[in-house]
Amino acid sequence: MPAPEPDVPARVLIFDTSLRDGEQAPGFTMSAAQKVLLARALEELGVDVIEAGFPRSSPADHAAVQAIAREVRGCRIAALARCHPEDIAAAASALAPAAHPRIHVFISTSPLHREHKLGLDRAQVLERAVMGVRLARSHVDDVEFSAEDATRTEPEFLAEVFSAAVEAGATTLNVPDTVGYATPADLRALFEYLRAHVRGAERVVFSAHCHDDLGLGVANSLAAIEGGARQVECTINGIGERAGNAAMEEVVMALKVRGAFYRADTGIRTRRLLATSRLLSQITGMHVQRNKAIVGQNAFAHESGIHQHGMLKNRNTYEIMRPQDVGWEDSQLVLGRHSGRAAVADRVRRLGYVLDEAQLDRLIADAKALTQTQHVVSDRDLQRLIEGEAIGPGWRIAGMQLSDSGHGAHAQVQLSDPDGRRVVQAADGQGPVEALFAALSRATGVDFVLETYEVHSMGIGPDARGEANLSARIDGTLMTGQGTSRDVLEASAIAWLDVANRVLRERAPRAEAALA
Ligand code: KIV
Ligand code: ZN
């Protein structure tokens, strides 16, 4: 009698689209250099595929995909393309330096999209899908085909398009719930149906791509796995179009914590989840809400007396996973004048960055220089130094004085401009914040109207710091900025300059492309 098959958990591939679907969302624009930083962190996290961008959408996106393809060699790099020859050519050329390139072609298949978006009938959509897959296969062996708005497509037509895509050479079939409309039961049933009805289903990987419009992105991704999906498309912190995509950290930890139920696992190094989440927040200036699962400030905080009592007796009473398993740690290492290379390298890694030796050397020199003027080097200082090197020069605050008579305020700011020159400007306002922002605007020549402005304190006691977050819509694009300092007004000035620097970088896309 043959030995019974061991019950080995299925391996689910993690396809991260933070740099494509995520970056598409308002407020999440990243420079090419920032994208490379995040891509390196994703590789370190253990994702299987990084969707690096949509090269045909802009020269900057093309340059960013190319830079990532050159630098990130340990996982697959995907580039998105419509089923248009020019898109596919752009994706192929951006991916040329990649060690493991994947072209991801897509076309809408639902009746709504066919009629109102494409003006094509079923036969024409099918023909274009086949053309797109064939052309992509002429460039690379790894081709993913997505049927946009798949969950609102007639199932038998979806199976027909997918069968044709497999025949044309697709190796992954992606089922996007583009508008976040499906329920978990729908998704599970759809995957079961497709696995039974797509010709050649056994030769391809089925993939789920779930949006979160009804807050079901993660639940739908898990249901898709139950139905046989073996790739999940997701983003760090759940960023993405509209309400976002399925959050990677939640999908991964659900599979891990409920392993006995799902019988599926990923290759993610879960201890890197928090660092990667924070790196993304730092790069985009967009913070996750405190109660966000896995990576929010409160995810492992126990406030009520009853819970604390239970936790002290046995952590399992109120914790279903160990905070350390997703990267939370108990101790905070403080870096000062006497800290060595190993301590800085360790801190940098914990912050989510992957630096080469030369970058680390420069960072250590800069951090040592900082200790001439301040006792300790905080995480934020390190992030600013690394980001400053990665994104190039920008406006920095060198000093500020504020006075408020009660009838009006006056602010004077001393800044260093992107070339390191000193600029001094002053302005008045009804209150100190208005005067400060007016002086900054006068000094930098950048003007914008704030959409949101929030200040809160981080920590208590002598080490407390203020954090400012602000956002502004500039030429239709939402820009966010973030700053921290002992002084909340200085934190506000840093956050304002963060936005101004993003605006200036946006206005200089050519320099950006050259950097990549
Ligand atoms: O949501 C969607 O349909 C997409 C596709 C391009 C995969 O992002
Ligand atoms: Zn999407």
Side-chain angles (χ1 to χ4, degrees):
M1 226 173 70
E5 295 250 329
D7 187 15
V8 182
R11 172 74 155 81
V12 172
L13 300 171
I14 294 294
F15 177 114
D16 179 275
T17 184
S18 307
L19 293 167
R20 200 278 298 167
D21 220 331
E23 207 248 357
Q24 241 163 264
F28 290 94
T29 321
M30 295 175 231
S31 71
Q34 289 173 322
K35 287 182 184 177
V36 172
L37 281 178
L38 188 66
R40 284 199 195 141
L42 291 168
E43 179 188 30
E44 182 78 6
L45 178 63
V47 310
D48 299 283
V49 188
I50 296 175
E51 187 163 50
F54 185 0
R56 182 81 202 294
S57 67
S58 71
D61 226 38
H62 187 282
V65 174
Q66 207 169 33
I68 292 169
R70 238 187 342 251
E71 294 227 7
V72 179
R73 321 288 299 169
C75 58
R76 293 179 186 284
I77 306 299
L80 186 69
R82 288 168 299 179
C83 288
H84 291 182
E86 303 79 13
D87 278 37
I88 294 166
S93 74
L95 288 173
H100 309 287
R102 169 180 293 188
I103 297 182
H104 176 191
V105 288
F106 74 101
I107 189 165
S108 290
T109 51
S110 68
L112 255 174
H113 282 219
R114 287 195 312 260
E115 184 184 339
H116 299 287
K117 177 179 154 185
L118 300 175
L120 299 178
D121 62 21
R122 282 185 179 205
Q124 289 167 315
V125 165
L126 191 134
E127 192 184 323
R128 277 215 197 162
V130 168
M131 179 280 293
V133 172
R134 279 217 184 105
L135 195 54
R137 264 313 286 259
S138 71
H139 293 286
V140 294
D141 290 338
D142 184 350
V143 172
E144 171 168 333
F145 172 73
S146 281
E148 191 181 358
D149 207 17
T151 51
R152 294 191 298 171
T153 301
E154 308 88 330
E156 69 292 350
F157 178 57
L158 190 59
E160 198 184 330
V161 179
F162 276 156
S163 300
V166 176
E167 204 178 321
T171 45
T172 300
L173 297 178
N174 185 37
V175 181
D177 183 27
T178 303
V179 290
Y181 177 74
T183 66
D186 294 341
L187 260 247
R188 183 183 167 147
L190 181 59
F191 275 87
E192 284 169 349
Y193 173 85
L194 290 171
R195 285 176 56 234
H197 290 86
V198 171
R199 289 186 300 283
E202 65 294 342
R203 299 203 299 274
V204 294
V205 172
F206 281 89
S207 166
H209 176 112
C210 301
H211 279 271
D212 208 29
D213 298 68
L214 293 174
L216 293 173
V218 170
N220 282 343
S221 305
L222 295 169
I225 292 170
E226 288 183 65
R230 290 296 172 259
Q231 174 177 284
V232 168
E233 304 200 351
C234 46
T235 57
I236 298 292
N237 297 344
I239 68 170
E241 282 277 3
R242 305 179 310 280
N245 290 59
M248 184 208 292
E249 57 279 3
E250 297 176 19
V251 173
V252 166
M253 290 315 291
L255 292 179
K256 200 174 176 73
V257 172
R258 300 305 308 274
F261 175 73
Y262 288 109
R263 305 298 306 144
D265 206 356
T266 68
I268 294 296
R269 296 178 193 105
T270 62
R271 284 172 171 267
R272 303 285 302 157
L273 282 170
L274 181 66
T276 316
S277 155
R278 289 191 163 167
L279 177 64
L280 177 68
S281 297
Q282 165 68 20
I283 285 175
T284 58
M286 292 287 237
H287 282 250
V288 298
Q289 77 271 20
R290 291 185 81 89
N291 61 330
K292 165 85 179 63
I294 317 293
V295 294
Q297 274 293 329
N298 290 1
F300 294 93
H302 303 275
E303 179 91 25
S304 97
I306 295 174
H307 287 204
Q308 286 177 350
H309 184 70
M311 284 289 294
L312 289 173
K313 296 228 150 138
N314 181 337
R315 297 190 79 92
N316 293 333
T317 50
Y318 289 101
E319 254 175 26
I320 57 166
M321 58 195 135
R322 291 186 335 134
Q324 292 83 352
D325 289 347
V326 296
W328 291 93
E329 49 183 310
D330 296 329
S331 64
Q332 277 278 341
L333 190 75
V334 175
L335 296 178
R337 197 166 301 178
H338 305 292
S339 304
R341 182 186 178 84
V344 179
D346 180 65
R347 197 76 224 147
V348 164
R349 240 182 81 74
R350 285 171 195 267
L351 289 173
Y353 296 97
V354 183
L355 301 186
D356 60 31
E357 291 299 303
Q359 286 171 313
L360 189 61
D361 285 342
R362 285 197 293 276
L363 177 67
I364 290 169
D366 291 346
K368 292 262 178 227
L370 258 192
T371 61
Q372 303 303 313
T373 51
Q374 59 190 57
H375 277 315
V376 295
V377 179
S378 69
D379 286 354
R380 291 277 186 234
D381 293 324
L382 284 180
Q383 284 163 330
R384 252 201 309 278
L385 292 173
I386 298 169
E387 295 268 316
E389 157 153 326
I391 62 182
W395 288 86
R396 307 266 177 262
I397 191 98
M400 51 190 261
Q401 290 82 40
L402 288 153
S403 58
D404 186 0
S405 67
H407 305 292
H410 180 76
Q412 190 196 61
V413 293
Q414 296 97 44
L415 305 183
S416 66
D417 79 1
D419 297 318
R421 287 181 301 245
R422 187 58 64 102
V423 175
V424 181
Q425 273 295 353
D428 296 321
Q430 290 185 36
V433 174
E434 189 182 305
L436 175 63
F437 290 170
L440 291 170
S441 174
R442 208 168 263 177
T444 57
V446 178
D447 195 16
F448 50 81
V449 179
L450 287 180
E451 208 162 271
T452 59
Y453 169 50
E454 288 165 20
V455 182
H456 64 264
S457 124
M458 303 189 322
I460 41 174
D463 291 329
R465 293 170 82 84
E467 179 175 281
N469 290 287
L470 44 85
S471 68
R473 197 166 291 278
I474 296 138
D475 302 333
T477 305
L478 188 72
M479 301 274 185
T480 54
Q482 195 254 331
T484 56
S485 164
R486 285 246 162 95
D487 172 30
V488 285
L489 284 168
E490 185 172 283
S492 304
I494 295 169
W496 194 99
L497 288 175
D498 194 13
V499 175
N501 286 329
R502 286 173 204 269
V503 173
L504 293 171
R505 283 200 297 277
E506 240 345 71
R507 289 184 185 158
R510 285 181 193 289
E512 166 74 14
L515 178 83

